[in-house]
Amino acid sequence: MDATEFRRRGKEMVDLIADYLENIEQRTVYPDVEPGYLRSLIPEEAPEEPDTYEDVVKDVERVIMPGVTHWHSPYFYAYFPTANSFPAMLADMLSGAIGCIGFSWAASPACTELETVMMDWLGKMLKLPEDFIAGTHGQGGGVIQGTASEATLVALLAARCRAVRMILASDPQRPETGINSKLVAYSSDQAHCSVERAGMIAGVRMKKIPTEQSDKYAVQGETLRRMIQEDKAAGLIPFYFCATLGTTPSCAFDHITELGPICNAEKIWMHIDAAYAGSSFICPEFRPLLNGIEFADSFNFNAHKWLLVNFDCSTMWVKKRSDLIGAFKMDPLYLKHDHQESGLITDYRHWQIPLGRRFRSLKMWFVFRMYGLKGLQDYIRKHVELAKEFESLVRADQRFEISADVVLGLVCFRLKGSNEVNETLLKRLNNGRKIHLVPCLLSGQFVLRFALCARTTESRHIREAWQLITQLAEEVMQELPH
């Protein structure tokens, strides 16, 4: 394919993408295929002679689309949203064309510098404390990670490194292996499984802090304080706490205004995981949910969930960049360059686990400029309004109950009755493939999660979904033994 053909095919692909997204609600939201469906549809080996572009594109509909879960369908209500917008897609095309591997400033100055500035732009939209803004002289700053899971792990590894150094500074003779075996980290029992996984990868014990329905599934300061004291008395070294703002099961918010001062007093690194909810903090009415951020050492959310920046773009800020760089810095001769010690630039390879990185900040630049802060706020507010509309439909039906506070774009609800009844209802809904939901477990109860996900979801889609849910609920309840 030469540049002339690329121009033609590129325009065709844009048409294909636009047609797909414009007509997505006509597709079945969840695929009707069995595991292994794809292998029989394509050859056992790559072709020796090239295929035509037309043949490849025909196979997208024949091979790929039957096995696609349509995350951007207005009938997709599972998990949490993944962002999608035309400006971000155009920026991704440009990023792919430039094709730089931005591990250092010298590897592509624009890739590094735009990321630093975009993270400052977004930090200011969120009204983050100055400590997290890089500016030209700041001690902190932002970095784009691939996922919130990576950000949690990076923060945990940096915290471990800092804790070991602090202990060795006061007790140089102490063996490092002995320190590592005593380290203990904490998270909510509602935290994402990736937090526990980070502990496994880092080789440190991760303790789950119990939460109660009466506390809206939020970690309480007193509970954390008690666990820290018990662990210290047992000879352990508390060093890291991952607070969650907007948990995956129910969008619960840990009380960071209580938890932060405890962590600061105990020299425990507090990382805040706001993977889903973080985008909403650009709206003044939701910004109080982030109060207490001033006590955190690091903060992360996924702009690729709810801020119209396509995957991957997980935005992370640290108060002291030296804490991250101290944990990850490696400087072989082939990666050195003239400006690295100038203090004027950032080499992002020291801020992450991989070495290579894509030019992801282009997506932020396009989206922020083409939507503006007001456009992004309107988008968040629309999803929250639709969630409130769905909540009101649930509350108006005496057969159902709301299982957790509806704060943002997630509604947790269930049929009054047994877990089995709700499991049957969800199975019928998902087997019908008209809408797609996933469950969670809250205080031992099987709960259905209704998450506003697609950019194109409107009130009519919510009402259609509710009509289907009530219709199937009626069928399920009629089958119950009287």
Side-chain angles (χ1 to χ4, degrees):
M1 186 182 288
D2 58 17
T4 304
E5 189 185 357
F6 176 71
R7 286 177 197 277
R8 189 166 95 253
R9 300 306 189 187
K11 286 165 188 164
E12 289 171 10
M13 181 55 75
V14 167
D15 283 341
L16 187 152
I17 292 166
D19 288 344
Y20 166 69
L21 290 170
E22 275 191 329
N23 300 303
I24 196 168
E25 67 181 86
Q26 290 161 28
R27 293 180 182 266
T28 305
V29 65
Y30 191 72
D32 187 8
V33 295
E34 294 298 320
Y37 90 95
L38 188 143
R39 187 174 283 276
S40 64
L41 300 178
I42 59 176
E44 284 292 314
E45 295 175 3
E48 204 155 301
E49 299 296 327
D51 285 344
T52 66
Y53 180 78
E54 286 85 355
D55 286 343
V56 175
V57 170
K58 270 185 205 159
D59 279 352
V60 170
E61 201 58 53
R62 182 180 72 88
V63 178
I64 304 302
M65 286 300 174
V68 170
T69 300
H70 299 286
W71 281 65
H72 302 291
S73 165
Y75 298 114
F76 182 91
Y77 305 108
Y79 314 109
F80 275 134
T82 181
N84 182 285
S85 72
F86 294 119
M89 283 183 250
L90 292 171
D92 234 355
M93 285 173 66
L94 181 58
S95 172
I98 292 171
C100 63
I101 309 297
F103 49 75
S104 70
W105 180 87
S108 195
C111 180
T112 292
E113 295 196 15
L114 186 65
E115 182 162 335
T116 304
V117 177
M118 287 304 99
M119 291 301 293
D120 279 0
W121 275 19
L122 185 50
K124 289 170 185 173
M125 287 187 214
L126 295 161
K127 296 190 166 38
L128 291 184
E130 277 297 313
D131 292 347
F132 291 100
I133 306 298
T136 51
H137 301 292
Q139 305 262 310
V143 57
I144 302 173
Q145 304 286 358
T147 63
S149 310
E150 281 176 53
T152 302
L153 177 58
V154 164
L156 180 67
L157 293 171
R160 186 183 69 181
C161 183
R162 186 180 77 173
V164 169
R165 285 181 179 178
M166 280 164 53
I167 292 162
L168 289 176
S170 60
D171 186 2
Q173 303 308 311
R174 191 165 178 179
E176 198 170 313
T177 50
I179 299 170
N180 282 322
S181 66
K182 299 285 187 186
L183 292 174
V184 60
Y186 306 94
S187 74
S188 164
D189 62 1
Q190 300 292 306
H192 194 271
C193 61
S194 60
V195 180
E196 188 176 357
R197 191 162 175 261
M200 291 167 61
I201 295 168
V204 296
R205 72 187 84 191
M206 178 75 69
K207 292 197 171 184
K208 292 183 182 181
I209 303 169
T211 58
E212 301 293 337
Q213 186 172 11
S214 56
D215 296 322
K216 299 180 180 178
Y217 301 107
V219 171
Q220 303 297 300
E222 203 39 59
T223 317
L224 175 63
R225 184 182 280 112
R226 189 177 64 251
M227 287 181 71
I228 290 169
Q229 296 311 324
E230 287 171 2
D231 286 340
K232 283 168 74 175
L236 298 177
I237 306 166
F239 78 104
Y240 176 86
F241 169 59
C242 180
T244 306
L245 297 180
T247 59
T248 301
S250 66
C251 201
F253 292 80
D254 290 338
H255 294 165
I256 56 173
T257 49
E258 284 179 28
L259 301 160
I262 296 168
C263 291
N264 289 179
E266 297 286 349
K267 294 187 170 56
I268 290 171
W269 182 300
M270 184 166 82
H271 174 68
I272 296 175
D273 171 14
Y276 162 66
S279 299
S280 72
F281 305 154
I282 65 169
C283 300
E285 64 269 35
F286 301 124
R287 177 55 180 78
L289 295 167
L290 189 56
N291 288 353
I293 178 67
E294 61 273 16
F295 301 113
D297 295 276
S298 53
F299 165 65
N300 163 252
F301 79 93
N302 288 337
H304 64 237
K305 270 192 168 67
W306 206 14
L307 210 60
L308 294 168
V309 180
N310 288 42
F311 187 86
D312 58 335
C313 185
S314 187
T315 48
M316 177 188 188
W317 289 263
V318 288
K319 242 183 207 163
K320 286 192 178 171
R321 66 179 78 183
S322 57
D323 287 335
L324 276 196
I325 295 166
F328 297 107
K329 187 165 184 177
M330 298 288 283
D331 255 339
L333 182 61
Y334 52 81
L335 295 180
K336 288 182 185 287
H337 58 91
D338 290 346
H339 300 282
Q340 67 182 46
E341 302 303 336
S342 67
L344 299 173
I345 57 95
T346 297
D347 282 343
Y348 277 122
R349 71 179 184 274
H350 303 315
W351 295 52
Q352 61 176 23
I353 292 164
L355 180 67
R357 53 207 329 276
R358 296 170 61 241
F359 199 164
R360 293 175 287 207
S361 56
L362 276 174
K363 292 183 286 193
M364 298 171 75
W365 195 45
F366 273 49
V367 168
F368 295 167
R369 292 182 68 185
M370 294 182 73
Y371 277 89
L373 177 57
K374 285 187 175 169
L376 295 170
Q377 290 170 334
D378 289 346
Y379 174 66
I380 299 285
R381 286 169 181 145
K382 179 184 169 187
H383 269 191
V384 176
E385 282 166 19
L386 289 171
K388 293 290 184 188
E389 181 180 353
F390 185 81
E391 179 192 13
S392 68
L393 292 170
V394 176
R395 289 193 185 279
D397 190 321
Q398 293 305 305
R399 298 170 299 174
F400 288 86
E401 60 189 354
I402 295 289
S403 304
D405 283 4
V406 179
V407 182
L408 298 173
L410 174 69
V411 183
C412 292
F413 72 105
R414 67 194 303 278
L415 267 172
K416 291 173 184 173
S418 69
N419 283 350
E420 289 71 26
V421 167
N422 284 282
E423 286 176 38
T424 303
L425 173 59
L426 182 65
K427 199 168 187 180
R428 296 263 176 98
L429 284 167
N430 285 339
N431 285 347
R433 294 183 166 81
K434 289 180 180 170
I435 64 174
H436 188 51
L437 283 75
V438 295
C440 69
L441 209 60
L442 293 174
S443 301
Q445 290 192 319
F446 188 92
V447 172
L448 282 67
R449 294 170 75 265
F450 189 93
L452 271 296
C453 290
R455 177 172 49 83
T456 53
T457 306
E458 300 289 347
S459 175
R460 68 179 176 88
H461 300 114
I462 299 294
R463 292 180 178 274
E464 281 176 46
W466 180 242
Q467 191 177 357
L468 180 65
I469 290 165
T470 53
Q471 178 191 322
L472 289 177
E474 185 65 34
E475 290 175 17
V476 169
M477 292 179 83
Q478 280 179 355
E479 291 166 13
L480 291 173
H482 293 294

